[in-house]
Amino acid sequence: MEKKNYNIYIIGRPNVGKSSLFNCLIDKKFSITSPKPNTTKENLYILDGNIKIVDTPGINESFLFKYISFNEVYFDNNIFLFLIEKLKLTYLDNVLLNFLKKNKLNVIILINKIDLLKNKLLLLDQILYLKEKYNFENIIPISIKKNININILKEILFKTNNFTNFISSTNIK
């Protein structure tokens, strides 16, 4: 398969694990992780010269229009990793979701911190709810801390190299 140049943007509200995911994807401790909101300003890492991964600051409403609108994000060769936490969809998550929907962007939603869920069956309800809200390329429950389903995400991002043929089923541990 021919390799394409593409950009991966890690987006979400503050403190959902964006920088931790960034470090996990590049297999290096490159981005600072902190419980303090707004630690990340922006980190960029280029893999093999053709894949650009961007760790974005925590989303707020002004960020959407300043950052996303002016950073070459309307091209088909971009994918957004939208990180949410467990079963919570906050006001900011919904604002971001509406922006993504309006602009018809390629999005994989990642439900982080599933290792903290006592009842994993609640995850199924959340996945069905998210499927109704947006036509995501994929919905993947993960735990960055416990390395759950990170290999599935890497497989999708780095091996298939074709966002229109993402695996549609989700493997839940």
Side-chain angles (χ1 to χ4, degrees):
M1 179 184 296
E2 178 187 328
K3 284 192 167 189
K4 296 189 311 188
N5 291 337
Y6 60 98
N7 306 312
I8 299 168
Y9 292 88
I10 303 172
I11 59 174
R13 61 186 163 79
N15 291 91
V16 292
K18 294 179 303 298
S19 295
S20 295
L21 179 62
F22 179 83
N23 289 338
C24 195
L25 290 177
I26 66 170
D27 293 322
K28 293 181 181 167
K29 183 137 174 81
F30 189 83
S31 193
I32 297 170
T33 58
S34 168
K36 181 182 169 206
N38 300 315
T39 301
T40 302
K41 300 305 176 210
E42 179 181 276
N43 285 314
L44 168 68
Y45 195 84
I46 298 176
L47 297 172
D48 297 329
N50 67 326
I51 302 170
K52 180 170 78 172
I53 301 175
V54 181
D55 179 14
T56 65
I59 297 292
N60 59 41
E61 288 181 76
S62 65
F63 170 88
L64 289 174
F65 305 103
K66 271 196 263 178
Y67 185 84
I68 293 180
S69 299
F70 301 106
N71 273 286
E72 67 191 47
V73 297
Y74 294 107
F75 301 108
D76 288 336
N77 62 339
N78 291 291
I79 189 74
F80 293 84
L81 301 181
F82 178 20
L83 203 56
I84 63 171
E85 189 175 57
K86 294 190 283 187
L87 303 178
K88 298 177 190 172
L89 209 55
T90 66
Y91 169 77
L92 282 176
D93 293 330
N94 280 305
V95 168
L96 179 55
L97 195 55
N98 288 333
F99 180 85
L100 297 169
K101 189 184 287 188
K102 177 183 167 195
N103 292 288
K104 298 177 182 153
L105 300 173
N106 300 317
V107 181
I108 296 175
I109 192 159
L110 304 170
I111 306 169
N112 192 24
K113 303 182 183 179
I114 62 165
D115 56 305
L116 301 177
L117 288 175
K118 289 182 181 15
N119 183 355
K120 302 271 194 276
L121 291 176
L122 294 175
L123 208 46
L124 182 57
D125 290 337
Q126 179 73 351
I127 290 169
L128 293 173
Y129 171 76
L130 290 168
K131 280 185 148 208
E132 288 177 15
K133 295 278 279 177
Y134 189 80
N135 186 24
F136 294 104
E137 298 291 339
N138 207 326
I139 299 171
I140 307 172
I142 65 170
S143 170
I144 298 165
K145 186 176 182 179
K146 300 282 185 175
N147 200 25
I148 297 172
N149 291 335
I150 300 300
N151 58 336
I152 291 170
L153 177 61
K154 286 181 175 182
E155 178 84 15
I156 290 168
L157 292 175
F158 305 132
K159 299 218 169 70
T160 59
N161 204 4
N162 183 349
F163 300 136
T164 60
N165 292 320
F166 281 139
I167 301 165
S168 59
S169 63
T170 305
N171 181 5
I172 302 173
K173 285 189 177 185

